[in-house]
Amino acid sequence: MERVESKASFGGRQEVWVHDSEVLGVPMRFGIYLPPQAAEGACPVVYFLSGLTCTEQNFITKAGAQRAAAELGLIVVAPDTSPRGEAVADDAAYDLGQGAGFYVNATQAPWAAHYRMYDYVVDELPALVEAHFPASDKRSITGHSMGGHGALVIALRNPGRYASVSAFAPIVAPTAVPWGHKALGAYLGEDRSAWAAWDACALVAQASERLPLLVDQGDADGFLAEQLQPERLREACAAAGHPLTLRMQPGYDHSYYFIASFIADHLAHAGAALG
Amino acid sequence: MERVESKASFGGRQEVWVHDSEVLGVPMRFGIYLPPQAAEGACPVVYFLSGLTCTEQNFITKAGAQRAAAELGLIVVAPDTSPRGEAVADDAAYDLGQGAGFYVNATQAPWAAHYRMYDYVVDELPALVEAHFPASDKRSITGHSMGGHGALVIALRNPGRYASVSAFAPIVAPTAVPWGHKALGAYLGEDRSAWAAWDACALVAQASERLPLLVDQGDADGFLAEQLQPERLREACAAAGHPLTLRMQPGYDHSYYFIASFIADHLAHAGAALG
């Protein structure tokens, strides 16, 4: 594992590391913010999963999360959104292949060889972080768009593993929208019975742990009606009795200006749960 | 004048506008953050001048200034760093020509035709902002690196025009360092007697108004020893009795992580002076 960036930021350090991922079979980069409190002892970790087309850079340069993380004493880890490189299958579209791993374990050729972002985020990355940094084993998870989908699915599939979960403009029902149809069809195959395990709305219906969900969604988001459809999550949570705080934010779009405006709320939500 | 971006941000709007600049003779873009308070009445304006290679985008996407501006009720205007386009003289180097206007009025061919960033920032842009937005005529100015030089020079040359001035890692003595030698030599000619009017250290010696200077400088900045040399400003201010707060920030480099970490302090400094 090698450190490729280290920048002073709000009294802590914003770093980028590269490591050879066993799960993904390629080198992977991730951003990690180490707050000032990490110099004194282990801090809890918030994982931020980014959206389509992003690398580890988008969140660390544009979201302004370091300020709140420094105040709250939270480590914030931002992985890349897929395996990358010449050896890795890809697609010319922005919403499939490199930059679009969808946080699933692919079962179909040519994707199955490297696209296992679920296992990477759930197991390999936290083990690495907790072994090499002053990180406790207390974790929260959040993300944006495709990464909001990832955060919700990962928390719902792993009861007890995350102290809290939240999402910005998540794809709440990939089995019902074009982005999800395309990605799940490619990565998991056209047998749709395999898709429900990767759909937050479907997972809420059978969750054994009622971890409260915090979701922010801009009402001027250009993807709202076709791809995001947060009302599906509201209905699924209502039907299951699953606690949900869904905040429709007036005037906000799908950009990092939206994330930056509310990241402090999401880190405070995580910080309260992490203690 | 045309609005090309408008994003909700911290309860206000981050916008980008393009207009035909009379002073520069080309279309120019600038970022403007309108805080929530601008919906109720005129707000004072802070001008942020960016550094080498930047457009209006770097500051508005990476500095995280919107949060503090929203709290303080400040409009923040971030212009581009030079005239641009095929009709505009350029140089292959990153530190001359397009992206490197140095906030001077050029007198030498081929630059004199368009490179008048000083007049643009001092006169044309504020007139435009104050005519078309809910902006009062109360102004402060700040900037980074080449833009820190611009902020200091512009404030020192225009007593009474700015309520406050500050800078991040400014080029305090362009007449004494390589970046300045190259840019001032090209834009103003090799007769160095013309250079002192664009050098903050030289201007401090003859300032009629003792406007306090706030400067943050990272001590891990890779440009510190060769290009920035803040000790020259400390000496010039001490000799002139000019008030200076120079904060050496341990571990910080020249990046936007540095700016983001201290922008709230600089906006608070401006906000206090603007009332």
Side-chain angles (χ1 to χ4, degrees), chain A residues 5-14 57 60-64 66-67 250-253 255 257-258 260-262, chain B residues 5-14 57 60-64 66-67 250-253 255 257-258 260-262:
Chain A
E5 283 186 32
S6 181
K7 306 280 193 175
S9 172
F10 288 94
R13 307 290 302 180
Q14 177 62 59
Q57 287 291 320
I60 68 175
T61 58
K62 293 185 173 180
Q66 295 90 354
R67 185 189 64 83
Y252 286 85
D253 68 5
S255 71
Y257 292 109
F258 163 61
S261 297
F262 299 104
Chain B
E5 282 184 34
S6 181
K7 307 280 193 175
S9 172
F10 288 94
R13 308 290 301 180
Q14 177 62 58
Q57 287 291 320
I60 68 176
T61 59
K62 294 185 174 181
Q66 294 90 354
R67 185 189 65 83
Y252 286 86
D253 68 5
S255 72
Y257 291 109
F258 163 60
S261 297
F262 299 104

Side-chain angles (χ1 to χ4, degrees), chain A residues 105-127:
Chain A
N105 293 332
T107 58
Q108 305 297 302
W111 311 105
H114 294 286
Y115 284 76
R116 302 185 63 82
M117 285 298 292
Y118 176 82
D119 282 351
Y120 178 71
V121 170
V122 173
D123 294 321
E124 187 179 22
L125 185 58

Side-chain angles (χ1 to χ4, degrees), chain A residues 14-259:
Chain A
Q14 177 62 59
E15 302 187 340
V16 175
W17 290 75
V18 61
H19 71 109
D20 289 320
S21 167
E22 289 184 26
V23 166
L24 303 174
V26 291
M28 287 291 287
R29 291 188 177 221
F30 63 92
I32 182 167
Y33 179 69
L34 299 164
Q37 297 85 343
E40 308 297 326
C43 295
V45 185
V46 179
Y47 291 85
F48 184 93
L49 306 183
S50 298
L52 289 166
T53 77
C54 290
T55 69
E56 86 289 347
Q57 287 291 320
N58 302 65
F59 177 75
I60 68 175
T61 58
K62 293 185 173 180
Q66 295 90 354
R67 185 189 64 83
E71 282 184 11
L72 296 163
L74 299 174
I75 291 173
V76 182
V77 172
D80 201 349
T81 54
S82 77
R84 294 182 189 269
E86 290 185 11
V88 176
D90 198 9
D91 188 279
Y94 76 98
D95 54 0
L96 188 66
Q98 296 187 27
F102 263 85
Y103 306 101
V104 302
N105 293 332
T107 58
Q108 305 297 302
W111 311 105
H114 294 286
Y115 284 76
R116 302 185 63 82
M117 285 298 292
Y118 176 82
D119 282 351
Y120 178 71
V121 170
V122 173
D123 294 321
E124 187 179 22
L125 185 58
L128 193 76
V129 166
E130 291 160 25
H132 289 89
F133 298 94
S136 77
D137 61 358
K138 296 173 102 177
R139 310 172 198 97
S140 286
I141 193 163
T142 183
H144 174 232
S145 194
M146 175 183 75
H149 143 76
L152 295 172
V153 164
I154 284 171
L156 289 164
R157 285 175 62 133
N158 293 278
R161 193 161 174 82
Y162 298 93
S164 72
V165 60
S166 69
F168 299 81
I171 306 169
V172 300
T175 63
V177 302
W179 275 341
H181 288 172
K182 182 174 183 176
L184 299 182
Y187 298 142
L188 306 175
E190 290 304 331
D191 174 3
R192 298 195 174 194
S193 65
W195 294 8
W198 307 99
D199 182 294
C201 287
L203 291 166
V204 158
Q206 58 189 48
S208 62
E209 179 197 44
R210 293 293 172 203
L211 191 65
L213 312 182
L214 168 64
V215 173
D216 274 318
Q217 172 63 60
D219 73 2
D221 185 323
F223 300 110
L224 179 57
E226 186 178 15
Q227 306 281 8
L228 304 175
Q229 303 181 6
E231 65 279 7
R232 290 181 182 269
L233 186 63
R234 194 194 298 278
E235 289 159 12
C237 286
H242 198 109
L244 167 70
T245 302
L246 171 59
R247 308 193 305 187
M248 295 302 294
Q249 300 289 2
Y252 286 85
D253 68 5
H254 203 64
S255 71
Y256 267 87
Y257 292 109
F258 163 61
I259 300 173

Side-chain angles (χ1 to χ4, degrees), chain B residues 140-212:
Chain B
S140 287
I141 193 163
T142 182
H144 175 232
S145 194
M146 174 182 76
H149 143 76
L152 294 172
V153 164
I154 285 171
L156 289 164
R157 285 175 61 133
N158 294 277
R161 193 161 175 80
Y162 297 93
S164 72
V165 60
S166 69
F168 299 80
I171 305 168
V172 300
T175 63
V177 301
W179 275 341
H181 288 174
K182 182 174 183 177
L184 299 183
Y187 297 143
L188 306 175
E190 289 305 329
D191 175 4
R192 298 194 174 195
S193 66
W195 294 8
W198 306 99
D199 181 295
C201 287
L203 291 166
V204 157
Q206 59 188 46
S208 62
E209 178 198 45
R210 294 291 172 204
L211 191 64

